[in-house]
């Protein structure tokens, strides 16, 4: 009797350990089905090059009462996209959503631009997506603060991001621009406001204007590689016609540019011909690559304010690294497609 009691306890202990271990493994990568699309939600720290579904387009949305969710699902269906819902760690109750109460949770959050409500949904990796639609309701004329939490915690480099929103009547206003500023990376396009009852045809017309399929092929074209002296550096290129022209210029053979130190903050060199330019007053930082005067490339290891056309930014060097590469004498920069 005593013996069989011990055996039972042993079996229960093993069962407990197995259950715990298996559920811990399972929580790292969850796959959910929504809108007939299999969506992979990668665990934090996932560094895979692409999402598991292999899809190009992702629709990310936050929806407190289901309206934006409905529009997000239609967009995902039209674009054959993955769908990801931002869920607040602390769900919004109807009291929280009372915008007539100046002390309600949403009123307090929207009145304080520094608030960042926590996200409760599984972490998602944006790797492998070339286009992301990002949707939310308008709260007090702006994006809900939880959207700021999301964009500040993800990298959008190389991704075209298209905001959309639903509202009682307000337009999208500056909310898309705010999100772009908070994100700090990505090619953010102007967004649009829809009513919850928007038809699929109307959405399709809007989406057709982005030429997503063609764009996605374009995005997959490789981008120029850069070497400073013998050191290869990573560059996040701008999406503009100057970069396209530069890319065309170095397609057949590498472009070697003899640079000269100037001003204690940059090296400058002639491309040998003019590229399309769209100069804007710019304050640069270490790592920035710009077009100056249409025919010269400038790479910064410090800062300067001037009218330039942005070409890109070196992402794998900090200010100290850039100073080491550029602050010790003239260099040659090689831009090539190899
Ligand atoms: C806290 C709060 C603030 C809102 N502020 C606005 C607003 O400024 N302008 C507007 O047109 N609608 C406003 N609305 C209405 C929502 O934008 C609208 O109902 C939206 O479609 C809800 O989307 P959801 O169901 O996806 O959460 C607000 C709603 C809430 C809950």
């Amino acid at each position: 009797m005593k013996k069989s009691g011990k055996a039972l306890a042993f079996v229960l202990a093993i069962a407990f350990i197995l259950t715990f271990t298996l559920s811990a493994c399972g929580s790292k990568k969850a796959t959910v089905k929504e809108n007939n699309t299999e969506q992979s939600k990668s665990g934090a720290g996932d560094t895979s090059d692409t999402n598991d579904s292999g899809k190009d387009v992702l629709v990310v949305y936050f929806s407190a009462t289901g309206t934006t969710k409905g529009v997000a699902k239609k967009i995902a269906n039209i674009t054959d996209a993955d769908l990801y819902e931002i869920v607040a760690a602390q769900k919004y109750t109807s009291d929280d959503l009372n915008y007539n109460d100046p002390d309600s949770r949403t009123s307090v959050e929207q009145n304080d631009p520094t608030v960042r409500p926590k996200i409760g949904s599984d972490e998602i990796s944006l790797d492998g997506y070339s286009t992301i639609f990002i949707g939310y309701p308008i709260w007090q004329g702006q994006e809900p603060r939880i959207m700021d939490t999301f964009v500040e915690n993800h990298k959008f480099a190389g991704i075209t991001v298209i905001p959309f929103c639903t509202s009682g009547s307000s337009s999208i206003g500056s909310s898309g621009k705010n999100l772009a500023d908070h994100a700090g990376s990505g090619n953010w396009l102007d967004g649009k406001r829809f009513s919850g009852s928007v038809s699929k045809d109307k959405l399709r017309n809007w989406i057709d204007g982005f030429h997503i399929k063609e764009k996605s092929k374009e995005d997959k074209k490789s981008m120029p590689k850069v070497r400073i002296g013998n050191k290869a550096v990573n560059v996040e290129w701008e999406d503009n016609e100057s970069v396209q022209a530069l890319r065309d210029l170095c397609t057949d053979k590498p472009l070697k540019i003899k640079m000269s130190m100037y001003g204690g903050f940059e090296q400058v060199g002639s491309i040998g011909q003019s590229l399309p330019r769209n100069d804007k007053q710019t304050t640069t930082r270490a790592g920035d690559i710009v077009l100056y005067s249409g025919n010269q490339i400038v790479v910064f290891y410090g800062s300067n304010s001037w009218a330039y056309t942005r070409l890109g930014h070196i992402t794998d060097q900090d200010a100290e690294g850039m100073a080491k590469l550029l602050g010790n004498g003239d260099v040659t920069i090689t831009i090539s497609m190899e």
Side-chain angles (χ1 to χ4, degrees):
M1 184 70 192
K2 222 177 177 185
K3 228 178 182 180
S4 67
K6 263 191 184 168
L8 182 65
F10 178 73
V11 169
L12 283 175
I14 293 288
F16 174 78
I17 289 165
L18 273 177
T19 310
F20 180 76
T21 313
L22 286 175
S23 66
C25 291
S27 67
K28 201 172 172 200
K29 215 166 204 192
T31 301
V32 295
K33 271 201 169 186
E34 235 182 310
N35 190 35
N36 299 326
T37 64
E38 268 217 348
Q39 178 219 330
S40 152
K41 292 177 172 184
S42 307
D46 188 338
T47 53
S48 59
D49 280 337
T50 185
N51 56 78
D52 287 356
S53 73
K55 292 190 175 178
D56 280 340
V57 184
L58 172 69
V59 180
V60 172
Y61 69 94
F62 167 70
S63 181
T65 52
T67 313
T68 313
K69 180 177 189 154
V71 177
K73 282 188 161 190
K74 286 180 197 165
I75 294 174
N77 190 262
I78 293 165
T79 55
D80 187 28
D82 284 338
L83 198 56
Y84 174 79
E85 180 173 10
I86 298 169
V87 180
Q90 186 195 339
K91 295 241 166 74
Y92 288 89
T93 64
S94 49
D95 281 348
D96 290 341
L97 296 172
N98 183 358
Y99 47 82
N100 290 318
D101 174 1
D103 296 324
S104 74
R105 178 179 164 200
T106 47
S107 297
V108 172
E109 286 180 3
Q110 293 306 106
N111 283 327
D112 180 353
T114 65
V115 171
R116 294 292 178 269
K118 277 207 177 114
I119 293 173
S121 27
D122 287 349
E123 180 57 37
I124 184 167
S125 164
L126 304 185
D127 291 345
Y129 294 110
S130 58
T131 304
I132 296 181
F133 289 87
I134 187 160
Y136 47 89
I138 292 292
W139 282 359
Q140 297 193 6
Q142 311 163 54
E143 75 284 5
R145 300 281 169 237
I146 197 164
M147 298 306 297
D148 301 336
T149 312
F150 182 82
V151 298
E152 283 175 358
N153 282 290
H154 288 87
K155 294 200 175 99
F156 294 86
I159 300 176
T160 298
V161 194
I162 307 167
F164 68 97
C165 69
T166 67
S167 72
S169 60
S170 298
S171 73
I172 196 161
S174 58
S175 60
K177 162 102 180 49
N178 292 345
L179 288 173
D181 289 347
H182 288 306
S185 62
N187 173 30
W188 288 71
L189 305 186
D190 286 343
K192 197 168 167 65
R193 177 259 172 196
F194 296 101
S195 74
S197 60
V198 61
S199 70
K200 260 184 148 181
D201 279 348
K202 189 168 177 195
L203 286 171
R204 198 173 279 114
N205 274 342
W206 175 63
I207 290 164
D208 281 352
F210 299 119
H211 305 287
I212 288 173
K213 288 276 178 280
E214 296 91 318
K215 178 86 183 52
S216 130
K217 276 188 209 139
E218 277 284 308
D219 286 346
K220 284 191 174 143
K221 276 207 263 177
S222 56
M223 294 303 286
K225 311 277 183 296
V226 173
R227 280 202 325 269
I228 299 178
N230 289 325
K231 169 86 179 152
V233 289
N234 280 343
V235 176
E236 184 184 324
W237 293 102
E238 293 290 323
D239 185 7
N240 61 31
E241 53 177 353
S242 313
V243 172
Q244 286 307 324
L246 185 66
R247 187 182 176 281
D248 293 345
L249 201 59
C250 67
T251 295
D252 292 336
K253 63 175 177 117
L255 183 64
K256 283 184 188 283
I257 304 174
K258 278 189 189 303
M259 308 289 283
S260 311
M261 294 178 73
Y262 180 81
F265 48 77
E266 68 178 43
Q267 289 220 13
V268 57
S270 170
I271 301 170
Q273 69 177 77
S274 289
L275 302 182
R277 60 197 272 202
N278 180 17
D279 292 348
K280 291 205 173 92
Q281 187 63 28
T282 307
T283 299
T284 60
R285 63 191 168 107
D288 280 348
I289 305 176
V290 301
L291 180 65
Y292 164 61
S293 218
N295 59 3
Q296 291 167 68
I297 279 204
V298 185
V299 185
F300 287 88
Y301 57 102
S303 177
N304 192 31
S305 287
W306 201 260
Y308 300 116
T309 301
R310 279 193 181 279
L311 297 176
H313 181 78
I314 295 169
T315 54
D316 59 351
Q317 298 292 324
D318 57 13
E320 202 183 326
M322 288 309 304
K324 271 191 194 141
L325 286 171
L326 297 176
N328 295 310
D330 297 352
V331 296
T332 296
I333 287 189
T334 310
I335 305 176
S336 70
M337 295 307 292
E338 290 142 19

